Amino acid sequence: MRGHEPDDTRSAEPGERERWRDTRLTPAQRAEALIPLMTLEEKVAQLVGVWVGADASGGGVAPHQTDMGGGPEWPDAIRQGLGQLTRPFGTAPVDPVAGARSLAASQQEIVRASRFGIPAQVHEECLTGFAAWRATVYPAPLSWGASFDPELVEQVAARIGRSMRAAGIHQGLAPVVDVTRDYRWGRTEETIGEDPYLVGTVGAAYVRGLEGAGLVATLKHFAGYSASRGGRNLAPVPMGARELGDVVLPPFEMALRLGGARSVMNSYAEIDGVPVAADESLLTGLLRDEWGFDGTVVADYFAVRFLERLHGVAADGGQAAGLALRAGIDVELPTVDTFGAPLVDAVKAGAVDEALIDRALRRVLTQKAELGLLDPDWQPLPGPADEVRLDDEESQELALRLAREAIVLLRNDDAVLPLRAGQTEQAAGQAGQAAGQAGQAAGQRVALVGPVADDPMAMLGCYAFPAHVGPHPEHGLGLEIPSLREALAGLVPDLAYAPGCDISGADTSGIAEAVALAEDSDVCVVAVGDRAGLFGRGTSGEGCDATDLRLPGVQAELVQAVLATGTPVVLVLLAGRPYALGEETDAAKAVLFGFFPGQRGGQALAEVLTGAVNPTGRLPVSVPRDAGGLPATYLAPPLGRRTQVSSVDPTPAYPFGHGLGYTTYEWSEARVAGGVTDWPVDGEVQVEVTVRNSGDRAGAEVVQLYLHDPVAQTTRPVVRLIGYARVPLEAGESARVSFTVPADVTSFTGTHGRRIVEPGDVELRLGRSCAETVATLPLRLTGDVRDIGHGRRLQAPAQIDRNPPEGRG
């Protein structure tokens, strides 16, 4: 073992010893030059994080950092160097400027304390924005999916990334590209949706935004986490190879290849009895050897220790560390544990090969070099701490724009929406001017009832700072988050309000007041749904799983009681999962869904309700009809649909991709370009359709392209999404939408376990949802069965040609 005095290399030394500081070398060359100079303890120190909180005074590490999961005291933790700092902003409320100063001071301590003076890589959560006090909270990922707008999601991610870099953060633990498989899973709200193509394209866009801002994006959770048995968090996954290959893995491929993510976080799951954290075939064989990933794999928090304590595949911490390293995990998070003394002792005892440590270290140091952390002129902050602003007008406007695009109108019988009391002809950008004019035309009396109607927290997902970190009453939320009631009251004069019940309680005593308000009104808006939290502190979120899909508490009783009054009801759901809307809600005249729409979500909902904004969101998940049946996504083969051999009908109340608005669209001239009917298994076709806004106001149609493969060597979903385009159109405007569809997107895992393109008859279906087909285009894939690998084409990109010549086609 090599040994050195603590200050051996702090003075300038010529020659080979300082090559790792040379910015003319590649990051990989610099890492290779440094590794031989390090002791075993120094190497291992680069493979761990330490969980700290920023000092509210700006003076450095918070006093009680060891409360966050244990670990050594600060001076001992940084003596040999440090790989990562865990969540300095996301631990407790701290002013952003003070937090940036505190982080900079901590980094300077790390540099001074260790022999090579390498700063730590700092990571934070950023699923709904920078998870810090007073940082803008954007809509949750299900809202990203509902927008069907990757370009906007990329802009949001870039904005988040810039704010994090300004504060001294290097790595964001997002996006989640797990595909929703069971809505009862509490982390459904963190997913983008139930379709791998939607998740992959939107997730890749988020990655591009974050990486483009200079942050390392981290894909979560590789892989299979969302397919747990019973929808329970961290439960076994009984998934087969085809579900893994055809549903779960494609979004990770897309986020890596199309987004450029430089980090991956392992899944807690065990797939068919093998914990992912110890699965060499997945983390190395697939991810690195087959896919060519050369970034870092970071452990989900405590995942390495879980190999011993939850999975039972390791006898102690040293063995768990060895299994994780061999599988391909490079960094243990959140704090020093098995990759500390247990790993060092295992190497010295010959139980773990030091070459595995060098392999992980090479990746870690290469990434640090890419981030400038090995540079001789490194500075702890990109700019002055006084310029750190985490919530500004531009960020809020971007959050509002995404919230507006993500709200989904599911039903609007008798055109009960928009509310006459708040109706305005002004465009969404002028919505704020409508307050003084609302409610004057018809004098419609509007009641607002429901437990989420006046709750700002109902806008936030579980990874928003106020929900994730927990209550700190002395600090408040740190943001202005208007509730639906506050926002709607500005557009609807004399708005009557009663909560009716709590979100999750059993008390029904308030329902009578809500019923009385409804009876005295012309229309009643009933707002129900979730409150996000962690591990039982909410009705949605990590560790907040559901046994069925009934609305929490007595909210269903409230809805039914108000419906029984006969007053027209507008049902508004603010939730992190789709709740069942069966026969008991069929009497509702209108249904709106908002998937935790962020700090400006109340305004967006009020604008949609009153007509200032035309809703354009589409469902990223199906909304089931039956609360007690097994939740199933639309990606089902024929026997997964309604059949004559079962009394259970799984047909959803509202299908994936569904959404309405306040205008109408006409589709015409759908065709395959050139009149092609044969489609080579290694070729492509062009699919075209003209869409016209035939209504009297601006809107956006979402053109969806689905594949139907009627005969294949394995059972296939009846339809699956392979392309989409969000098409904004002014009243009367037309657009020609063209998809370039490579045969690669028809591929699936065949009977021999290889991904193939199979010849035969297929249909390309253009539709408004997975269940509403507008045009069917039959084609025949020609040629021999074609094996296809990771290098396949992943997308069917769309082109929009506005106001095409009449009669084109």
Side-chain angles (χ1 to χ4, degrees):
M1 186 181 72
R2 296 170 290 277
H4 302 274
E5 292 299 317
D7 59 351
D8 261 1
T9 61
R10 276 198 289 205
S11 60
E13 293 183 282
E16 291 299 306
R17 296 185 63 80
E18 289 295 307
R19 290 187 74 243
W20 63 276
R21 291 284 194 192
D22 189 346
T23 57
R24 295 170 299 180
L25 301 179
T26 67
Q29 289 171 328
R30 295 171 70 183
E32 208 64 56
L34 178 56
I35 291 171
L37 307 179
M38 303 178 79
T39 67
L40 173 61
E41 288 78 5
E42 287 168 333
K43 292 177 180 180
V44 169
Q46 291 295 321
L47 309 184
V48 297
V50 170
W51 197 336
V52 298
D55 188 342
S57 72
V61 176
H64 302 293
Q65 62 93 15
T66 53
D67 294 342
M68 303 305 297
E73 293 293 336
W74 178 249
D76 295 327
I78 64 175
R79 185 168 291 118
Q80 303 289 348
L82 183 62
Q84 294 225 3
L85 277 172
T86 293
R87 305 205 64 193
F89 284 84
T91 299
V94 59
D95 177 80
V97 171
R101 288 175 176 160
S102 173
L103 176 56
S106 299
Q107 287 278 44
Q108 288 165 343
E109 288 183 51
I110 293 167
V111 169
R112 288 193 300 265
S114 54
R115 186 162 66 97
F116 293 100
I118 302 171
Q121 188 165 324
V122 187
H123 74 262
E124 275 289 358
E125 300 285 359
C126 56
L127 195 63
T128 60
F130 184 7
W133 193 54
R134 292 185 176 173
T136 303
V137 179
Y138 294 86
L142 275 180
S143 282
W144 311 353
S147 76
F148 277 74
D149 193 344
E151 291 78 12
L152 178 56
V153 171
E154 184 172 345
Q155 292 178 42
V156 166
R159 189 76 186 173
I160 294 168
R162 286 195 294 272
S163 70
M164 295 174 74
R165 278 301 295 128
I169 309 300
H170 307 105
Q171 181 170 0
L173 301 188
V176 171
V177 288
D178 294 310
V179 178
T180 298
R181 302 299 286 160
D182 189 328
Y183 314 132
R184 295 172 297 182
W185 190 47
R187 302 190 79 166
T188 293
E189 63 167 80
E190 298 178 45
T191 71
I192 297 167
E194 68 182 43
D195 179 86
Y197 189 86
L198 179 66
V199 174
T201 50
V202 174
Y206 186 93
V207 169
R208 287 193 297 271
L210 210 60
E211 290 277 355
L215 257 71
V216 173
T218 306
L219 306 182
K220 302 195 300 188
H221 305 83
F222 188 78
Y225 189 27
S226 58
S228 59
R229 183 178 278 117
R232 295 176 58 246
N233 193 46
L234 222 167
V237 173
M239 179 169 49
R242 284 181 184 80
E243 183 179 359
L244 180 67
D246 294 343
V247 177
V248 171
L249 292 178
F252 289 94
E253 291 184 85
M254 298 176 85
L256 290 171
R257 285 184 50 201
L258 306 179
R262 287 181 286 171
S263 187
V264 168
M265 175 178 279
N266 76 280
S267 162
Y268 284 133
E270 56 176 82
I271 302 176
D272 194 23
V274 179
V276 171
D279 192 341
E280 187 174 2
S281 67
L282 191 60
L283 297 183
T284 296
L286 177 71
L287 181 62
R288 296 193 184 278
D289 297 342
E290 185 176 338
W291 289 3
F293 176 67
D294 60 1
T296 58
V297 175
V298 299
D300 204 345
Y301 287 10
F302 309 108
V304 181
R305 179 63 76 173
F306 287 171
L307 293 175
E308 173 202 354
R309 295 186 178 171
L310 298 185
H311 295 296
V313 297
D316 53 34
Q319 189 177 8
L323 286 173
L325 272 174
R326 189 173 296 108
I329 288 178
D330 303 313
V331 180
E332 181 180 34
L333 299 178
T335 199
V336 184
D337 186 15
T338 70
F339 276 26
L343 178 57
V344 171
D345 292 344
V347 172
K348 290 179 178 179
V352 175
D353 189 347
E354 189 171 351
L356 293 175
I357 292 174
D358 289 349
R359 183 180 70 170
L361 179 63
R362 189 172 294 111
R363 298 161 183 161
V364 167
L365 293 178
T366 297
Q367 192 162 98
K368 284 195 170 187
E370 291 172 352
L371 292 167
L373 298 177
L374 303 188
D375 294 356
D377 60 349
W378 167 84
Q379 296 295 323
L381 286 175
D386 291 345
E387 297 180 3
V388 176
R389 299 289 182 269
L390 304 185
D391 183 43
D392 56 25
E393 184 175 349
E394 185 177 346
S395 300
Q396 290 186 28
E397 284 301 310
L398 202 55
L400 176 59
R401 181 180 163 196
L402 180 55
R404 286 168 170 163
E405 289 193 4
I407 292 168
V408 187
L409 177 61
L410 301 181
R411 180 192 298 168
N412 193 20
D413 295 347
D414 302 328
V416 68
L417 290 179
L419 299 172
R420 292 193 304 277
Q423 192 168 357
T424 173
E425 297 301 322
Q426 294 163 299
Q430 302 171 305
Q433 302 173 13
Q437 305 172 15
Q440 303 304 314
Q444 191 178 43
R445 297 170 301 167
V446 179
L448 174 65
V449 304
V452 302
D454 198 28
D455 184 0
M457 293 295 290
M459 304 294 164
L460 310 184
C462 76
Y463 269 76
F465 184 90
H468 195 73
V469 175
H472 289 269
E474 69 277 16
H475 293 281
L477 295 179
L479 299 167
E480 291 186 7
I481 307 176
S483 68
L484 175 58
R485 179 190 181 189
E486 291 175 284
L488 194 57
L491 298 174
V492 177
D494 303 320
L495 180 69
Y497 163 75
C501 63
D502 294 330
I503 292 173
S504 57
D507 186 0
T508 60
S509 61
I511 293 179
E513 181 185 5
V515 165
L517 287 184
E519 290 175 334
D520 196 37
S521 302
D522 297 312
V523 62
C524 183
V525 178
V526 183
V528 294
D530 282 318
R531 184 173 183 136
L534 294 176
F535 305 110
R537 296 203 305 264
T539 59
S540 173
E542 185 172 358
C544 297
D545 309 317
T547 56
D548 59 41
L549 295 174
R550 296 178 179 87
L551 285 165
V554 295
Q555 293 184 75
E557 295 181 43
L558 170 66
V559 173
Q560 292 160 23
V562 174
L563 286 170
T565 65
T567 299
V569 167
V570 176
L571 183 61
V572 175
L573 291 101
L574 282 167
R577 61 165 61 87
Y579 284 104
L581 299 178
E583 293 179 359
E584 62 273 15
T585 63
D586 283 347
K589 289 293 184 181
V591 180
L592 272 177
F593 218 119
F595 297 100
F596 289 143
Q599 73 183 70
R600 299 289 290 275
Q603 178 182 341
L605 276 164
E607 291 170 342
V608 168
L609 285 166
T610 58
V613 167
N614 185 3
T616 58
R618 301 294 186 267
L619 283 175
V621 287
S622 304
V623 174
R625 175 167 289 275
D626 181 9
L630 178 66
T633 74
Y634 91 98
L635 292 173
L639 286 178
R641 302 293 185 97
R642 183 179 183 179
T643 69
Q644 295 180 340
V645 296
S646 173
S647 60
V648 175
D649 181 3
T651 304
Y654 302 98
F656 172 86
H658 172 74
L660 305 175
Y662 299 149
T663 189
T664 55
Y665 303 93
E666 295 177 352
W667 296 29
S668 62
E669 299 179 315
R671 67 167 195 171
V672 178
V676 170
T677 56
D678 287 349
W679 185 6
V681 294
D682 59 353
E684 65 181 32
V685 293
Q686 296 285 132
V687 175
E688 302 176 348
V689 66
T690 296
V691 179
R692 186 175 76 88
N693 183 343
S694 54
D696 59 2
R697 61 177 299 171
E701 179 71 300
V702 177
V703 178
Q704 300 163 47
L705 180 64
Y706 292 89
L707 172 71
H708 172 60
D709 189 351
V711 180
Q713 60 181 254
T714 68
T715 61
R716 305 296 302 134
V718 174
V719 292
R720 63 180 177 92
L721 186 72
I722 59 170
Y724 62 88
R726 181 183 174 88
V727 189
L729 293 169
E730 297 295 325
E733 186 182 16
S734 297
R736 188 71 173 169
V737 182
S738 302
F739 294 95
T740 301
V741 189
D744 292 12
V745 301
T746 72
S747 65
F748 61 94
T749 303
T751 55
H752 297 292
R754 299 188 304 272
R755 179 172 287 276
I756 61 169
V757 177
E758 186 181 34
D761 293 331
V762 296
E763 293 177 356
L764 296 182
R765 297 179 177 179
L766 290 157
R768 294 188 174 95
S769 75
C770 70
E772 185 180 354
T773 299
V774 177
T776 298
L777 305 172
L779 289 162
R780 182 170 183 81
L781 285 161
T782 59
D784 297 325
V785 173
R786 173 172 162 246
D787 283 0
I788 189 170
H790 177 59
R792 71 189 184 279
R793 295 168 68 182
L794 299 170
Q795 288 181 287
Q799 180 177 333
I800 300 172
D801 179 13
R802 297 188 176 279
N803 291 312
E806 290 187 13
R808 176 176 172 175

